[in-house]
Each structure stands twice: as C-alpha cells, then as structure tokens.
C-alpha cells in the first residue's frame, strides 16, 4: 500500500520493477483501513507540506509501526521521524536540485541525490537508542536517512526514484522489498 501525500508516478514504477503490486490510498486513510487491506508493506510518499501540520498522518503512521514494514521518501521520511518521536525543523535554505552528496554511513558510500524539500528531521530530537541515522547530507550534515533499530521501517529524505537521474539510490526499492520478505 502506498500513501499518497503527493506521490510521483516514477515511485510506482520503481516499486513495480521490484515485482510489487501497489494499491494507492489517500493521505487521510486511517491506519485500520490500510491494515484491513493486509499489505505486505506500506510506502509513505513524498509531498508538499510542513510535516508538523499533518497530525492525522503522523497518528496513522504511529499505528502502523511494528505492524507492517514501512518505507518513506521525503515528506514520508519526515512524517516517519515524527512517528518515531522526533521533530522536524525548517532549513534556512531548502535542498533543491539533483546534485546533493549524501553519505550512507554504514558503507561510507557517497550517493549523488535529487532533492526538493524545505524541512529536515531534527537530529537532536531522535532517540538514538531506537532510531539509527543511516544517511547524512555532506553539504550541511542534516539527516538524510534513518531506520528503526527493532521494527522494519526505514526512510530517506531524498528522491531515489528521480528520473532522469541520478540513479545512485535505486537500490533502496530493492531494500524495501527485502525488508518485506524478511519481516
């Protein structure tokens, strides 16, 4: 199931390329209705908004954590940050364009990413005992990715589905599929 907060068609293409069948639901769909669909996983899409203003979405995501594998992109990442107990803050200058260097911390690999957002998950608000920061922006050291340490949930701030590119981050859709298969 994919929550549509402003979903891009190419996200659906990337999920389908991984062999997933996707049902899209409206942003305000209650978690109980999503769970009634018996999804193998739930995708939290990008979209235009101040995540702090979307209390209904945060509440729904909190209900889903631990019940189904989750992946979030951009706004979905920020909403997951709130659902994990964190906060977001407005960037002085937003991240826009297709040349933002992001480091995947476990491997040290640097990806050139496409971004379009004005908010970031506040690193100091994250409970590091339950949430691991997985990716960092090399321009301003903001959080670009995170995963829950004990629940099947992860997210990235940038757009791994971006077309025409860069394509450094397409592996994340395969990672979501693997999370679903092992949950």
């Amino acid at each position: 199931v994919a929550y549509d907060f402003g979903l891009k068609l190419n996200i659906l293409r990337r999920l389908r390329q991984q062999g997933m069948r996707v049902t899209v639901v409206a942003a305000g769909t209650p978690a109980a209705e999503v769970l009634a669909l018996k999804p193998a996983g739930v995708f939290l899409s990008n979209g235009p908004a101040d995540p702090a203003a979307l209390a209904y979405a945060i509440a729904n995501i909190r209900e889903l954590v631990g019940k189904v594998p989750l992946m979030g992109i951009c706004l979905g990442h920020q909403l997951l940050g709130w659902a994990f107990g964190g906060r977001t803050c407005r960037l002085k200058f937003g991240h826009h364009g297709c040349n933002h260097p992001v480091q995947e911390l476990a491997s040290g690999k640097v990806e050139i990413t496409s971004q379009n957002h004005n908010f970031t998950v506040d690193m100091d608000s994250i409970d590091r005992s339950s949430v691991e920061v997985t990716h960092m922006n090399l321009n301003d050291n903001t959080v670009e990715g995170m995963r829950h340490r004990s629940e099947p949930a992860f997210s990235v701030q940038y757009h791994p589905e971006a077309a025409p590119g860069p394509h450094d981050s397409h592996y994340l859709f395969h990672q979501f599929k693997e999370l679903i298969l092992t949950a």
Side-chain angles (χ1 to χ4, degrees):
V1 169
Y3 266 103
D4 183 0
F5 301 115
L7 186 69
K8 292 181 183 178
L9 180 59
N10 210 38
I11 290 171
L12 297 175
R13 284 188 193 113
R14 296 282 177 229
L15 292 169
R16 289 183 181 133
Q17 285 172 348
Q18 291 297 319
M20 297 182 205
R21 288 179 291 133
V22 183
T23 300
V24 177
V25 297
T29 305
E33 287 183 30
V34 169
L35 291 171
L37 296 171
K38 298 185 184 336
V42 174
F43 180 84
L44 310 169
S45 84
N46 60 300
D50 175 350
L54 303 178
Y56 67 91
I58 295 164
N60 284 329
I61 295 166
R62 279 187 181 133
E63 286 186 47
L64 295 171
V65 173
K67 295 181 181 154
V68 63
L70 298 165
M71 177 185 180
I73 287 178
C74 197
L75 178 63
H77 163 80
Q78 297 162 5
L79 293 169
L80 195 59
W82 277 94
F84 287 165
R87 300 181 310 275
T88 53
C89 54
R90 189 172 184 89
L91 293 163
K92 184 175 181 178
F93 302 102
H95 294 169
H96 306 283
C98 61
N99 61 349
H100 291 264
V102 169
Q103 186 172 37
E104 197 269 327
L105 299 177
S107 69
K109 175 184 166 190
V110 175
E111 304 169 22
I112 301 303
T113 66
S114 179
Q115 301 197 17
N116 189 24
H117 60 94
N118 292 312
F119 294 88
T120 185
V121 173
D122 178 1
M123 190 178 331
D124 294 331
S125 73
I126 299 171
D127 176 3
R128 297 290 186 91
S129 66
S130 62
V131 179
E132 175 187 4
V133 174
T134 59
H135 296 75
M136 293 292 294
N137 186 299
L138 294 179
N139 288 332
D140 62 7
N141 294 316
T142 54
V143 176
E144 290 284 348
M146 62 188 173
R147 71 171 186 83
H148 199 280
R149 293 183 187 275
S150 60
E151 303 297 347
F154 76 97
S155 61
V156 292
Q157 178 62 73
Y158 51 93
H159 292 271
E161 82 290 349
H167 302 265
D168 294 359
S169 306
H170 286 179
Y171 71 92
L172 291 164
F173 294 99
H174 180 74
Q175 185 176 325
F176 183 45
K177 179 181 176 181
E178 291 300 311
L179 185 68
I180 288 169
L181 295 174
T182 59

